[in-house]
Amino acid sequence: LHWLCHNSGVETLQDTAAMNVPRIKPSHLPRSFLSSPQQFKNFIISTSNMSWRTLAKSNSDLINGIKNLGLVKSDIVFQAMKNVDRGHFADDKATAYFDRPQSIGYGATISAPHMHAFAMEDLKDHIHKGARILDVGSGSGYLCACFAEMLDILEKGDKDLSYEGQGRVFGLEIVKELVDKSVNNLKKFDKGRKWLESGRIRIIHGNGWEGLDEVAGPFDAIHVGAAAEEVPQKLMHILAPGGRCVIPVGEQHNTQYYKVIDKTLDGEIKASNKMEVQYVPLVRQGKGMEKRKVSNHEQKQQKGTV
């Protein structure tokens, strides 16, 4: 750890403490940092202002904590995150309300709450009554639940809204075991069961690189919860005119950027990089699946990644 600090320009462990990154342990860090100290520095910079600072014992305290840090800005995101208990979706109940990513098995993670907050804030203006929302790499199902709660808030009391006109959330997950796990997570609480029964939420076993067909789309908002080597063009095809997609892009163990991609009403794609991040890869069917299914131990070592 001292070697990493010296070679990355983070000269001392005291510097990391000054940047509010307490209790860093070597087991928290991916081995790729040894070959790329710059990645370690980027990790320190990113986590100093976001993660590791809210260690709560309840969902309410967690969301209040990240709001107090300025990471949740709008009322609808605040209410949605407060109404969906992260504890239903996290495997490790002892750290369910920590602002950290957590392994959910099969090489996947439930992202740190502040990253979910960023995504929801970036997409909120594209989530409206009747919106169709796609979560690619839906994993635990947590963000699908948050999106469904946003729709519930927006559509509450609208008696003129037909069933067909109600908003829908589609989760797309390539690992069948995680599809089943996310459905079981949603069944843990009354509202989750109602969302599944009513069709407000559908979790589908499928390939994020292929997107979903036009029967489900086009989508007003698309969130991708794993890093793609490049922007999947099929996702751009099913993004509605006027819609927005947020997606991490870049190779694993190299620089990745959290991109905000808008499609104008005339179909033009405009993309911008918001920040550097580190996500698990958005795998393709038949490519990377075996690695993903045996990498749980490695993921447990990567609790410091976003």
Side-chain angles (χ1 to χ4, degrees), residues 234-252:
K234 291 192 176 181
L235 290 183
M236 296 299 96
H237 177 67
I238 60 175
L239 181 63
R244 170 172 286 184
C245 172
V246 293
I247 176 173
V249 178
E251 296 181 357
Q252 193 176 27

Side-chain angles (χ1 to χ4, degrees), residues 19-252:
M19 289 188 287
N20 297 303
V21 188
R23 299 188 298 279
I24 291 179
K25 299 178 181 179
S27 60
H28 288 163
L29 305 176
R31 293 179 180 178
S32 61
F33 285 167
L34 293 174
S35 59
S36 180
Q38 182 60 37
Q39 287 188 37
F40 173 73
K41 185 174 183 179
N42 292 340
F43 159 72
I44 291 295
I45 292 171
S46 65
T47 55
S48 66
N49 294 319
M50 302 174 198
S51 189
W52 306 86
R53 298 182 65 178
T54 301
L55 309 177
K57 295 184 178 180
S58 71
N59 192 70
S60 180
D61 287 347
L62 167 65
I63 306 309
N64 284 332
I66 61 176
K67 182 182 180 182
N68 291 338
L69 290 171
L71 304 175
V72 175
K73 303 180 184 300
S74 64
D75 288 341
I76 190 169
V77 170
F78 177 67
Q79 287 301 325
M81 295 188 76
K82 205 157 188 184
N83 292 348
V84 176
D85 193 327
R86 191 172 187 261
H88 293 312
F89 301 87
D91 287 0
D92 184 357
K93 304 306 178 186
T95 60
Y97 306 116
F98 288 10
D99 188 15
R100 299 178 183 174
Q102 187 184 116
S103 172
I104 56 172
Y106 306 97
T109 62
I110 177 173
S111 294
H114 71 266
M115 292 305 300
H116 285 143
F118 284 148
M120 294 168 70
E121 291 287 354
D122 285 333
L123 293 172
K124 71 179 187 302
D125 293 337
H126 301 266
I127 296 174
H128 47 73
K129 292 180 181 180
R132 300 182 87 76
I133 305 165
L134 175 62
D135 184 21
V136 177
S138 51
S140 70
Y142 171 76
L143 197 55
C144 287
C146 288
F147 287 144
E149 182 64 24
M150 292 176 77
L151 289 172
D152 276 8
I153 293 170
L154 290 167
E155 296 178 357
K156 184 179 181 181
D158 190 340
K159 297 180 180 180
D160 296 329
L161 192 64
S162 67
Y163 174 80
E164 291 76 14
Q166 294 174 3
R168 297 282 185 270
V169 180
F170 296 83
L172 186 61
E173 174 55 55
I174 198 168
V175 179
K176 180 61 167 63
E177 292 87 346
L178 290 179
V179 172
D180 297 338
K181 185 173 189 172
S182 62
V183 170
N184 289 333
N185 287 340
L186 288 163
K187 289 180 178 178
K188 292 177 183 176
F189 56 106
D190 288 342
K191 188 170 279 191
R193 289 190 290 273
K194 290 178 181 177
W195 286 331
L196 290 170
E197 291 167 3
S198 68
R200 172 75 93 185
I201 294 179
R202 285 183 58 194
I203 309 294
I204 299 169
H205 181 216
N207 187 339
W209 287 93
E210 297 299 323
L212 285 177
D213 60 31
E214 285 75 5
V215 174
F219 295 96
D220 303 286
I222 298 177
H223 168 265
V224 183
E229 297 168 3
E230 57 188 10
V231 176
Q233 290 307 302
K234 291 192 176 181
L235 290 183
M236 296 299 96
H237 177 67
I238 60 175
L239 181 63
R244 170 172 286 184
C245 172
V246 293
I247 176 173
V249 178
E251 296 181 357
Q252 193 176 27

